Amino acid sequence: MSTAIHEYRERKMQPFYWILTFEMMIIGMLLGLALVVGPLILLSLWPSGWMALTLLAIPLGLWMIRSLWRSLATRIWHNRHNDYFAIYEDVLRYTVWDRETREEQSGSIRLKDISEMYYGRHVMMYSYAYKETSFRERAPQVELWPVIHLIYNSGGGEKMISVPLAETREANEWLKTLAPHGIPLWLSSVVVVDEDEATIHVLRKEENRDAAVFENNIERAFRPFIEKKVEEEEQRAPGPEELEALDAEIRRIEEQEAQQAQKAVFANVGPLGWMVFVLQFFFSWLIMNQAVAGRIDPDGVIIPVLLMLVMSFLFFFLVKRLRWPHLLVCWGGLFVTQLVLDMIAGSSEEGSALYSIGGGLIGMSMVAPVFIWLPYLLALGLRRSAKDK
């Protein structure tokens, strides 16, 4: 087989971001492992009914390990299976991967069968992770990168294959190799997101393209072309159909922004929601003092359970916008508050009333996910009833 004249392989994630992603996944799995092993260690060191309740955290830890392991395996697969394109003397060979089915599609296209090529832009998600940037350089999450669309004739009619690139230099190298074969070159203002049978028709619309001649740097022709298109769009009065489509797009964007605002879990807790954990700290301190004074049973279960249920209900009822992830926020808040209070109180003397009530409060906060879905549903129902009135 002859040597490739020019080849291009889809970029892998930059080492810094790849290592960061890998580390975050590993840390998450270690936390899951702690939830599995931790209760067993605690129960062996301090055997009690309260510590036995921590065993309920084991399924959550197993779920975290399994989910993060599968996510990491998927990311590793994506980073290793990159699309590949190579130009030989009279043929283009390619290997592309379907990210959903993980199926490989390989083939070759005779250069004489390529009828048109279009130079334009494609959407690159998380582009900051795939290009070199300086430490202080601002890297956007989404960018438009160069792409070359090749339309070719096959036995079943016309087909298209896109070569997504990362830099203008790479596009110039490709065009320098293809241009001598006499393939017509067009500039395209269409940003192709999902290729389908109608894509070729859209590319060929006269308002979307302009003929070009490759002169070593395609951007010299492309930039004026895009600027002209932008200016024409700004000056042209939109028709009724376009206005309707524009209104629909504005509504869609507004809905997306509203949904994103609702999905901002921590931002939607609000001051009243966070104040619940201050109340929890105060009442827990009061309960511990009453247990030390002998006024309540330090080994009792009812008071820690009631405190957890009441505080979780108040939290769910007072957050600005209630969503299911707030179950996790509530759980974390309950546990951290009790842990901090226990450290401040210094309930380390085994057998003391302070030790017993402190362990009970911490133990109940650790197994809170088993119970707090009840006040969550109650608060959700009350909020909806109040909203409907």
Side-chain angles (χ1 to χ4, degrees):
M1 181 182 292
S2 59
T3 305
I5 300 173
H6 185 67
E7 55 186 351
Y8 174 78
R9 186 177 296 277
E10 188 180 23
R11 290 190 174 188
K12 294 179 180 290
M13 189 178 291
Q14 289 290 309
F16 170 79
Y17 290 102
W18 176 238
I19 293 173
L20 180 63
T21 300
F22 200 87
E23 287 179 345
M24 295 302 294
M25 292 288 183
I26 295 298
I27 291 173
M29 284 189 282
L30 289 176
L31 290 175
L33 182 62
L35 289 175
V36 174
V37 179
L40 299 175
I41 296 176
L42 291 173
L43 188 60
S44 64
L45 294 176
W46 299 286
S48 68
W50 285 113
M51 284 303 173
L53 290 175
T54 63
L55 295 175
L56 296 173
I58 292 179
L60 176 63
L62 293 173
W63 175 81
M64 286 180 61
I65 294 172
R66 179 176 179 271
S67 299
L68 290 171
W69 176 260
R70 295 179 64 181
S71 179
L72 180 60
T74 299
R75 291 171 185 269
I76 292 174
W77 187 92
H78 286 169
N79 206 47
R80 288 181 175 177
H81 294 77
N82 312 106
D83 295 348
Y84 173 77
F85 306 87
I87 301 177
Y88 294 82
E89 184 176 351
D90 59 352
V91 69
L92 181 149
R93 301 185 186 279
Y94 63 89
T95 299
V96 295
W97 296 89
D98 189 312
R99 301 301 179 186
E100 298 296 330
T101 64
R102 299 192 178 184
E103 294 179 354
E104 175 187 358
Q105 181 181 355
S106 299
S108 61
I109 304 169
R110 295 185 301 177
L111 297 186
K112 65 179 182 180
D113 289 335
I114 300 177
S115 58
E116 299 169 77
M117 55 183 177
Y118 290 79
Y119 176 77
R121 294 286 189 263
H122 75 98
V123 177
M124 183 61 187
M125 298 295 296
Y126 311 108
S127 58
Y128 61 86
Y130 293 88
K131 67 177 183 179
E132 295 183 2
T133 55
S134 62
F135 182 73
R136 294 186 178 181
E137 181 180 353
R138 183 178 180 182
Q141 187 176 22
V142 181
E143 285 187 296
L144 295 178
W145 283 8
V147 64
I148 299 175
H149 304 293
L150 301 174
I151 298 176
Y152 61 96
N153 299 310
S154 67
E158 287 188 320
K159 293 184 178 180
M160 185 183 85
I161 187 169
S162 299
V163 184
L165 305 166
E167 299 178 7
T168 304
R169 171 185 58 79
E170 297 166 344
N172 288 331
E173 291 174 355
W174 269 79
L175 294 174
K176 184 178 180 180
T177 305
L178 292 171
H181 292 270
I183 305 171
L185 172 63
W186 299 87
L187 305 174
S188 176
S189 60
V190 177
V191 178
V192 177
V193 179
D194 297 314
E195 295 182 15
D196 53 32
E197 296 179 356
T199 303
I200 296 177
H201 174 69
V202 174
L203 288 172
R204 283 176 171 166
K205 286 185 176 182
E206 292 302 320
E207 62 268 24
N208 295 335
R209 68 177 186 174
D210 196 12
V213 176
F214 179 65
E215 297 178 342
N216 297 323
N217 188 350
I218 190 61
E219 284 293 315
R220 292 176 182 171
F222 184 74
R223 290 184 183 277
F225 163 72
I226 286 297
E227 291 174 359
K228 180 181 177 182
K229 287 295 181 182
V230 172
E231 185 178 348
E232 289 176 353
E233 287 296 321
E234 291 177 348
Q235 294 178 353
R236 185 175 62 87
E241 294 183 357
E242 291 176 305
L243 288 173
E244 184 177 349
L246 181 61
D247 289 339
E249 180 66 14
I250 292 174
R251 287 194 298 269
R252 184 184 68 81
I253 293 174
E254 290 176 345
E255 290 175 358
Q256 286 183 344
E257 290 177 347
Q259 291 175 359
Q260 289 175 355
Q262 292 178 358
K263 291 179 180 179
V265 178
F266 290 102
N268 283 323
V269 172
L272 292 177
W274 294 120
M275 282 297 297
V276 169
F277 300 118
V278 178
L279 284 176
Q280 179 199 349
F281 186 94
F282 171 77
F283 283 115
S284 298
W285 182 275
L286 183 61
I287 290 170
M288 294 173 80
N289 286 336
Q290 293 298 307
V292 171
R295 296 187 180 93
I296 62 175
D297 182 8
D299 295 317
V301 178
I302 296 178
I303 291 179
V305 170
L306 287 176
L307 178 67
M308 178 195 62
L309 293 176
V310 171
M311 291 298 106
S312 58
F313 171 78
L314 285 176
F315 176 80
F316 296 136
F317 189 76
L318 294 175
V319 294
K320 289 194 298 184
R321 296 187 183 92
L322 180 61
R323 297 180 60 250
W324 72 262
H326 285 124
L327 283 163
L328 300 178
V329 177
C330 182
W331 178 28
L334 292 172
F335 177 72
V336 171
T337 302
Q338 294 298 163
L339 184 62
V340 171
L341 175 58
D342 194 68
M343 294 173 63
I344 293 174
S347 56
S348 58
E349 184 181 346
E350 188 172 354
S352 66
L354 188 60
Y355 179 87
S356 298
I357 191 64
L361 290 170
I362 290 181
M364 189 54 63
S365 66
M366 289 184 66
V367 299
V370 180
F371 303 98
I372 61 175
W373 61 272
L374 291 170
Y376 171 81
L377 293 177
L378 177 60
L380 184 63
L382 291 175
R383 290 168 65 103
R384 287 179 175 174
S385 298
K387 187 176 180 180
D388 293 336
K389 290 181 179 179

